[in-house]
Amino acid sequence: YTMYNERKTVMDWKILIATFTSIFLAELGDKTQIAAIIMTSKTSKPLTVFIGSMVAFAVITILGVTFGVALTKFVPINYIKYLSAIAFIAIGILILTGKL
């Protein structure tokens, strides 16, 4: 699964595919796509909107990955998983009750 031998792992294809699939499915039909559709229809500049969207997504992803690396140095991954699950459940309840 790796591009190089196990001692010098550069690319773990299994993680790459899992990450791509997770992000791709999570982003389908979300507000980011709606914003891109609206910006493209308002400006008629699809390439410019695409580049702006990609740069914004790259920056936000870099921040997320950086924060994730820093967070796992101080907080055990199991706590992060539980906290994430609780946060998603709480957001779901707020959406269902119309408070969000």
Side-chain angles (χ1 to χ4, degrees), residues 33-73:
Q33 279 187 333
I34 295 167
I37 291 167
I38 291 168
M39 288 298 294
T40 302
S41 55
K42 280 184 177 180
T43 64
S44 298
K45 302 280 186 185
L47 182 59
T48 305
V49 172
F50 173 76
I51 293 169
S53 299
M54 292 303 298
V55 171
F57 197 72
V59 169
I60 225 51
T61 301
I62 289 168
L63 291 173
V65 169
T66 303
F67 181 73
V69 168
L71 187 64
T72 56
K73 289 183 179 180

Side-chain angles (χ1 to χ4, degrees), residues 10-36:
V10 172
M11 180 67 66
D12 187 327
W13 291 100
K14 189 175 179 180
I15 293 172
L16 178 90
I17 291 167
T19 303
F20 172 84
T21 304
S22 304
I23 299 294
F24 183 82
L25 292 175
E27 295 299 322
L28 276 178
D30 77 341
K31 61 186 179 248
T32 305
Q33 279 187 333
I34 295 167

